[in-house]
Amino acid sequence: MTTNHPNYVPRHIGIVMDGNGRWAKARHRPRSFGHNAGRKAVREVVEGCLRHGVEALTLFAFSSENWQRPQDEVGALMDLFVRALDKEVDELHSNGVRLRFIGELNAFDTSLRQGMLDAMKRTELNDKLQMNVAVNYGGRWDIVQAAQKAALAVARGQLPVEAIDESTFDQWTCLGELPPLDLFIRTGGDRRVSNFLLWQMAYAELYFTDTLWPDFNQVSLKHAIDDFARRERRFGRTGDQVSQA
């Protein structure tokens, strides 16, 4: 089945980029070497999304649980973020990519946080691809912070409790203005979602691959999109109802 038809292309793809450490270990290099190699895969996926007409891409770069990793690895990841901001934003901007960082950004040092804010400001008017990078992010945190915003609106008298439905609640999540997640991809062989986009993943198609993240490329992305295109998405309906629609 071709993916040229817009109905067969996911509007929003989310990716857990796993396997950098194992990729580096297989080459007898430090884990930071694998994380740095993963930047090429990010560029490949961004180019692939632009080519296929994907509207939104959300990458899980650093979870709220990743702070528990060895301090030298965390430090290397922070350095990588800084260098990536310096080197990648120009290209993203020239390709019409809007870059956003989602998560609890206050945990990062001032210079890195300011770099994120500057990158978001610079690319905010771009509309070829909405690229979200989840840093210090967790799906449960996202739901909790949305619930806190809802509670605050009720406490201020801005909204009656009975007016809070799924659509209203969704607006308070980190990605409330974007299309729902259509396709979840996890590289590296593990078959779990790891607290990523829990609210947004309600009807997403799940795709797991043993490919380690630094080896994931545009061909790998095409395989995932083709697999998505072959699936029947019923959303509670019967197969007959879907085929008649």
Side-chain angles (χ1 to χ4, degrees), residues 1-4 9 27 35 49 57 70 72 103 114 118 133-134 148 169 181 186 188 191 195 208 215 231:
M1 180 177 290
T2 179
T3 58
N4 291 333
V9 176
R27 289 158 177 77
H35 292 308
C49 286
L57 170 68
D72 58 343
Q114 188 59 52
D118 291 344
V133 180
Q148 290 173 338
F169 187 86
L181 189 69
R186 182 175 185 135
R191 268 64 176 168
N195 196 24
F208 300 99
D215 294 325
R231 302 190 188 188

Side-chain angles (χ1 to χ4, degrees), residues 215-226:
D215 294 325
F216 197 86
N217 55 28
Q218 292 190 49
V219 174
S220 309
L221 179 66
K222 180 67 160 53
H223 288 163
I225 292 176
D226 286 346

